[in-house]
């Protein structure tokens, strides 16, 4: 709590408590019919009440300043949190990209492999593609049959 607010609240409370004394004296003087004492007591009670109002306005100012400071602090906290989240997100993206680079598979085909693949893939060669069944035996290229599925090429 800000010092200005504390001073305002304490001052207002003390002046209201002190104002009770002249009010009590006023009531006592009224019963006795002492007008001079009544006027003096009313004056004191009025003074203490005015001071209490001044302290109340000081407390209100202090609370308004506190609210502004709290709002600024909250905004700063939110900005910091957003910055942290942004940094974490960027770091996560970098980690994802690094892991993609590390896990990316690459295949290099040797010259001998390239020659073999050209022989197999080129049309007009006399080699037929070989198809294997589940047991590992070769099957004629035109007919493949699986349980419940029949495929003709």
């Amino acid at each position: 709590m800000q010092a200005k607010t504390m001073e305002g609240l304490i001052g207002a409370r003390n002046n209201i408590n002190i104002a009770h004394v002249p009010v009590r004296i006023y009531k006592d003087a009224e019963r006795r019919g002492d007008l001079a004492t009544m006027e003096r007591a009313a004056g004191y009670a009025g003074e203490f009440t005015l001071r209490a109002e001044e302290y109340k306005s000081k407390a209100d100012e202090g609370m308004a300043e506190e609210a502004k400071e709290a709002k600024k602090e909250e905004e700063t906290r939110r900005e910091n949190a957003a910055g942290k989240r942004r940094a974490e997100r960027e770091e996560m993206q970098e980690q994802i990209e690094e892991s993609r680079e590390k896990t990316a598979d690459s295949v290099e085909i040797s010259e001998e492999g390239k020659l073999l693949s050209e022989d197999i893939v080129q049309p007009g060669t006399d080699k037929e593609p070989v198809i294997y069944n589940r047991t590992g035996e070769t099957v004629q290229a035109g007919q493949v049959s699986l349980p419940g599925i029949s495929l003709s090429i």
Side-chain angles (χ1 to χ4, degrees), residues 7 23 37-39 44 57 88-89 100 113 121 128 138 147:
E7 181 184 349
V23 170
T37 306
M38 285 174 50
E39 286 178 9
Y44 289 132
S57 64
E88 288 173 358
R89 195 175 327 123
R100 283 184 183 162
V121 174
E128 288 278 328
T138 57

Side-chain angles (χ1 to χ4, degrees), residues 47-65:
E47 284 181 37
F48 290 124
T49 304
L50 288 175
R51 281 191 205 161
E53 287 178 14
E54 290 172 7
Y55 278 110
K56 180 192 174 293
S57 64
K58 187 181 277 192
D60 290 342
E61 289 174 13
M63 287 192 294
E65 290 174 10

Side-chain angles (χ1 to χ4, degrees), residues 76-113:
T76 303
R77 189 188 61 77
R78 267 192 256 129
E79 288 174 0
N80 289 341
K84 284 181 183 179
R85 283 193 302 271
R86 196 174 312 114
E88 288 173 358
R89 195 175 327 123
E90 289 173 0
E91 185 179 322
M92 185 65 81
Q93 284 288 58
E94 289 175 8
Q95 289 176 354
I96 289 171
E97 289 175 12
E98 287 176 8
S99 68
R100 283 184 183 162
E101 290 174 4
K102 290 179 182 176
T103 59
D105 293 335
S106 62
V107 176
E108 290 185 30
I109 301 174
S110 66
E111 292 300 320
E112 184 180 309

Side-chain angles (χ1 to χ4, degrees), residues 130-140 143-146:
V130 179
I131 300 174
Y132 297 95
N133 64 9
R134 291 197 316 187
T135 59
E137 300 170 351
T138 57
V139 180
Q140 186 179 6
Q143 276 292 356
V144 175
S145 56
L146 300 169

Side-chain angles (χ1 to χ4, degrees), residues 113-125 127 129:
K114 288 178 184 176
L115 292 174
L116 287 173
S117 71
E118 287 175 3
D119 286 343
I120 294 172
V121 174
Q122 286 184 3
T125 59
K127 294 183 179 178

